[in-house]
Amino acid sequence: MIKITLKDGSVREVENGSSVLDAAKSISEGLARAAYCGKINGKVVDLRTILNEDCELEICTFDTEEGKDAVRHSISHVLAAAVKRLYPNAKIAIGPAIANGFYYDFDVEKAFTAEDLDKIEAEMKKIIKENPQIEKFELPRSEAVELMKDEPYKVELINDLGEDEIISFYKMGDFTDLCAGPHVLSLKNIKAIKLLRTAGAYWKGDEKNKMLSRIYGTAFLKKADLDAYLEALEEAKKRDHNKLGRELGIFTTDEKVGQGLPLFMPKGAKLFQTLQRWIEDEEEKRGYVLTKTPFMSKNDLFVASGHWSHYKDGMFVLGDEEKDTEVMALRPMTCPFQFTVYNAEQHSYRDLPIRYAETSTLFRKEASGEMHGLTRVRQFTLSEGHIICTPEQVESEFREVIDLINYVMETLGIAEDISYRFSKWDPKDTEKYINNPEAWEATQNQMRTILDHLNIDYVEAEGEAAFYGPKLDIQSKNVHGKEDTIITVQIDFALGERLGMSYIDKDGEKKIPFVIHRSSIGCYERTIATLIEKYAGAFPTWMSPVQAKVLPLSDKYAEYADEVVSTLRRNGVRVEVDHRTEKIGYKIREARLERVPYILVVGEKEAANNEVSVRSRKNDDEGAMALDAFVDRITTEIANKER
């Protein structure tokens, strides 16, 4: 007998050699029927997995993320089986579960159409109804290659596996696929599937490789849950910043300008400016000093900082190292520039901490297939900052950074939508990082202690650190459920020494300072995308590009309308007037579609009494109000950054 410790802490005994499914049955037949995979000592496994030693065991139903992934991964194989039935010449690539669904990539002569998806989905439902037996088996490398000899992408994946890797397959009726699993035991409980869309995707995400055809889908156990998800998806499409941002005149793109290079239109530029002025003023209140540094540098600077060896592929390089005596590069980050500013003078411990801030225009060579709207771009603007401090000041400065970030997130109204990730190095991938295991361990322990002192609820992620130190990533999900990093805070143990930074300690000795890399609002482009989706374009008044719109009932009241506009502008309100000879109902509808917080209608009565007739997003028609009273109301709302 072996002992298994369950999620609730209770301990049960099962026979050595029992499967995870057997263990689930020993707990409850109902649990076994609802189980789709398990977790042994934190590792997700198949229900077929054999237990042969004492362990911690969790049984995963569809209510868990792991259970959902097992179901959806299995349905991705059903998708591949259906495609192979309908298009025998298609070559299969990969088909993982993802947030809220799955996808599978295929090499086909012609990209899939909407009509193709309908045919494939019907074939998938047929396979599910057939409920073929699902079996797992393993093969040595040579036999695995032979089995997959007609599937070049699978052969490549097999050859990429390490010598000690187990090469496993899942057979589903007449379809066999290379896969580590886990997969469900049966398809019979999966009652609701939907193929959602197609897209192009480079093999292995590398634009140098062939473009494959990707099919996205999702799966649920119940039709009602699928219907609710599809309804939410339609709502998400309405909020998608890439669509809504263009409709509202926030930004546009143009093929002649290039991918990943959005152009902010007047309304978007005003929103951008409003956020930037607020952040720069707030940072100044908190003791930050501004720098203004070049957009490019000789590569010597990036060689010294280590970015050249760790980051060069993601940089726009101007010149050829083999041909040119001077090679330049557009900056992907500002840190080595601000450190150079620091090194222009000798500093004492009494000068520290020094908090540098800069609204930085940065450039990163994103792959063309990765770019999307404002969230993945090649040129972006970061509220970048670096704090140079003594070791004793690290925790208090880190705490102040988190306080600033929390204030910014609360004011923007997205604090409830964020999560925290403690990103660590991967000691098995030393080429990706500065290889100093002792420094990594010490700095990571220091950051973990600080985070625990701050009572931050975080998850740990190995392999997500910057090359020079661990970081705290503030994560936010977009309307489609994809998680992006919007802000990072990093503790850097390496670049100070690499770039010759120092300060004179109280004992008169030269010491290397610690550096905290941080942002406050993150990348403005990505944050604006988040705000468009959060508010569906109906921004709080303080950040709205147009805060009020004045609509005269007719030309007779145009002069008074202009007086109202002048009064509001003198008081710092962003206002427009609509002098078109359209019916007032039409003009009101248009202003509403533009998500303007306040619509001010003026006619004979309003002009005679120095009033405005107020329609607000919150309360609709509020009736007439003295102009002075409205000015007090809106300026107070703006000053307090009310939401």
Side-chain angles (χ1 to χ4, degrees):
M1 303 297 288
I2 57 172
K3 291 179 180 178
I4 55 171
T5 304
L6 302 177
K7 191 179 178 183
D8 63 2
S10 63
V11 178
R12 301 180 75 90
E13 288 193 342
V14 297
E15 282 190 30
N16 192 338
S18 299
S19 68
V20 173
L21 180 64
D22 293 331
K25 285 178 180 175
S26 76
I27 300 167
S28 145
E29 285 291 339
L31 178 63
R33 285 194 298 273
Y36 291 103
C37 65
K39 284 170 78 175
I40 298 176
N41 298 328
K43 183 184 177 185
V44 181
V45 297
D46 206 291
L47 291 174
R48 305 165 181 81
T49 303
I50 299 302
L51 303 168
N52 50 29
E53 61 183 7
D54 294 351
C55 63
E56 293 180 358
L57 178 66
E58 183 180 343
I59 306 299
C60 301
T61 67
F62 196 74
D63 292 332
T64 67
E65 287 305 312
E66 295 84 0
K68 288 184 178 72
D69 284 351
V71 167
R72 289 165 178 164
H73 190 185
S74 300
I75 297 300
S76 80
H77 279 223
V78 174
L79 165 59
V83 168
K84 289 295 283 186
R85 279 189 185 183
L86 296 170
Y87 309 92
N89 294 328
K91 301 302 178 187
I92 56 175
I94 57 170
I98 56 174
N100 299 317
F102 59 86
Y103 69 77
Y104 212 109
D105 290 344
F106 302 93
D107 187 351
V108 285
E109 288 181 16
K110 219 169 68 174
F112 295 112
T113 64
E115 292 75 21
D116 293 332
L117 292 197
D118 291 340
K119 281 168 53 182
I120 295 165
E121 187 177 305
E123 193 65 32
M124 290 173 68
K125 289 175 180 175
K126 201 185 296 182
I127 292 170
I128 291 170
K129 196 171 181 181
E130 293 167 6
N131 192 24
Q133 188 175 352
I134 301 172
E135 304 168 76
K136 181 181 181 182
F137 62 94
E138 296 168 4
L139 290 177
R141 187 176 300 269
S142 59
E143 292 180 35
V145 169
E146 177 62 25
L147 179 64
M148 291 282 111
K149 64 183 179 184
D150 295 326
E151 298 291 350
Y153 298 99
K154 298 297 182 182
V155 170
E156 185 175 334
L157 290 173
I158 292 167
N159 290 329
D160 286 344
L161 293 171
E163 287 299 320
D164 300 328
E165 290 277 354
I166 295 168
I167 304 174
S168 61
F169 295 84
Y170 280 84
K171 189 172 187 296
M172 181 187 292
D174 57 0
F175 176 75
T176 300
D177 201 353
L178 171 74
C179 189
H183 283 287
V184 299
L185 299 175
S186 167
L187 302 174
K188 67 180 180 182
N189 291 334
I190 305 167
K191 306 295 185 188
I193 65 165
K194 184 67 182 173
L195 295 185
L196 301 170
R197 60 189 175 94
T198 62
Y202 292 110
W203 170 235
K204 294 183 174 177
D206 187 340
E207 61 185 342
K208 294 173 186 171
N209 290 336
K210 186 169 185 179
M211 175 75 79
L212 304 178
S213 289
R214 176 172 294 179
I215 297 177
Y216 285 95
T218 192
F220 291 84
L221 303 185
K222 300 173 186 172
K223 184 178 183 301
D225 292 337
L226 173 61
D227 290 344
Y229 173 73
L230 294 177
E231 191 177 325
L233 209 57
E234 284 305 308
E235 179 60 28
K237 284 179 186 174
K238 293 177 193 171
R239 289 174 173 262
D240 187 332
H241 85 276
N242 205 19
K243 176 177 179 288
L244 192 53
R246 296 168 196 272
E247 292 173 356
L248 293 175
I250 303 293
F251 75 97
T252 188
T253 53
D254 191 284
E255 288 182 7
K256 293 187 289 293
V257 176
Q259 278 190 303
L261 298 169
L263 297 99
F264 279 90
M265 299 171 79
K267 287 180 181 176
K270 179 51 68 176
L271 172 57
F272 198 123
Q273 182 190 58
T274 300
L275 296 173
Q276 182 179 332
R277 285 176 172 175
W278 166 53
I279 290 298
E280 289 180 348
D281 288 347
E282 184 61 32
E283 288 177 339
E284 188 171 356
K285 287 178 196 170
R286 293 175 184 247
Y288 285 85
V289 291
L290 277 176
T291 61
K292 186 74 174 166
T293 57
F295 286 8
M296 67 177 76
S297 163
K298 290 166 58 179
N299 69 332
D300 300 29
L301 180 66
F302 299 117
V303 169
S305 68
H307 289 95
W308 200 250
S309 57
H310 291 281
Y311 226 97
K312 181 185 171 186
D313 289 345
M315 295 168 70
F316 288 101
V317 177
L318 312 175
D320 188 318
E321 287 180 272
E322 294 182 5
K323 297 177 184 174
D324 300 321
T325 55
E326 187 172 86
V327 175
M328 309 289 285
L330 297 176
R331 64 180 183 184
M333 65 285 295
T334 308
C335 39
F337 295 86
Q338 288 194 329
F339 299 163
T340 304
V341 170
Y342 177 86
N343 283 342
E345 301 174 293
Q346 179 61 63
H347 296 278
S348 157
Y349 73 97
R350 296 182 187 277
D351 302 326
L352 304 185
I354 292 174
R355 305 181 188 103
Y356 290 129
E358 184 167 335
T359 305
S360 309
T361 301
L362 304 176
F363 306 86
R364 294 188 186 173
K365 198 175 179 181
E366 297 281 3
S368 59
E370 295 292 315
M371 289 178 290
H372 176 72
L374 297 177
T375 56
R376 293 296 291 269
V377 290
R378 284 175 169 161
Q379 176 185 306
F380 60 97
T381 310
L382 188 65
S383 61
E384 200 164 7
H386 298 89
I387 300 166
I388 294 97
C389 60
T390 67
E392 297 78 18
Q393 294 167 335
V394 169
E395 181 162 349
S396 62
E397 288 301 309
F398 197 100
R399 183 184 293 273
E400 289 300 316
V401 167
I402 299 302
D403 183 70
L404 171 59
I405 291 169
N406 287 341
Y407 162 72
V408 170
M409 295 295 103
E410 286 283 351
T411 306
L412 293 177
I414 56 179
E416 64 271 23
D417 303 322
I418 62 171
S419 59
Y420 298 92
R421 183 179 74 188
F422 173 27
S423 296
K424 306 182 296 181
W425 84 313
D426 180 359
K428 299 187 291 295
D429 189 5
T430 53
E431 288 185 12
K432 186 178 171 184
Y433 304 98
I434 289 173
N435 189 14
N436 186 337
E438 289 182 7
W440 275 104
E441 200 60 31
T443 310
Q444 287 181 171
N445 287 339
Q446 182 182 27
M447 182 175 272
R448 187 181 291 105
T449 299
I450 293 170
L451 296 178
D452 290 342
H453 286 171
L454 291 170
N455 293 316
I456 288 176
D457 185 16
Y458 60 87
V459 296
E460 298 192 12
E462 193 170 273
E464 296 293 335
F467 75 85
Y468 47 75
K471 58 194 176 94
L472 177 67
D473 291 323
I474 288 85
Q475 306 291 104
S476 176
K477 284 186 179 178
N478 67 17
V479 289
H480 300 294
K482 183 181 181 298
E483 191 171 83
D484 285 312
T485 300
I486 58 170
I487 295 176
T488 65
V489 186
Q490 303 155 8
I491 297 179
D492 177 358
F493 62 82
L495 294 194
E497 183 175 11
R498 290 183 74 103
L499 291 171
M501 298 169 73
S502 67
Y503 66 95
I504 305 300
D505 203 356
K506 55 189 171 188
D507 57 10
E509 292 185 9
K510 269 193 176 184
K511 297 285 177 68
I512 299 166
F514 266 72
V515 177
I516 298 173
H517 303 242
R518 50 104 282 188
S519 181
S520 51
I521 196 173
C523 159
Y524 281 94
E525 288 82 357
R526 186 171 283 181
T527 299
I528 287 172
T530 300
L531 293 170
I532 292 170
E533 295 183 350
K534 168 73 178 179
Y535 294 108
F539 304 110
T541 303
W542 73 271
M543 69 171 81
S544 288
V546 178
Q547 295 163 328
K549 197 153 193 173
V550 181
L551 311 180
L553 282 171
S554 72
D555 284 347
K556 285 193 291 184
Y557 312 109
E559 189 176 336
Y560 179 64
D562 289 339
E563 287 176 21
V564 171
V565 168
S566 295
T567 299
L568 288 167
R569 282 184 180 155
R570 281 198 304 273
N571 285 277
V573 179
R574 296 188 289 273
V575 59
E576 290 181 350
V577 62
D578 188 346
H579 279 311
R580 293 177 301 165
T581 56
E582 301 283 357
K583 289 182 179 178
I584 193 65
Y586 177 80
K587 292 201 281 190
I588 288 170
R589 281 194 300 276
E590 283 220 326
R592 280 177 171 162
L593 288 173
E594 292 171 14
R595 276 67 163 185
V596 177
Y598 289 98
I599 300 168
L600 308 177
V601 178
V602 295
E604 183 179 4
K605 178 176 170 290
E606 289 80 16
N609 299 319
N610 200 31
E611 293 177 340
V612 287
S613 184
V614 179
R615 290 173 180 266
S616 69
R617 275 199 318 239
K618 287 182 181 176
N619 305 318
D620 199 21
D621 190 352
E622 299 185 26
M625 180 184 294
L627 178 57
D628 288 348
F630 178 74
V631 169
D632 287 344
R633 170 180 167 176
I634 193 170
T635 53
T636 299
E637 185 178 335
I638 293 166
N640 293 337
K641 295 183 171 57
E642 295 175 20
R643 299 202 305 273

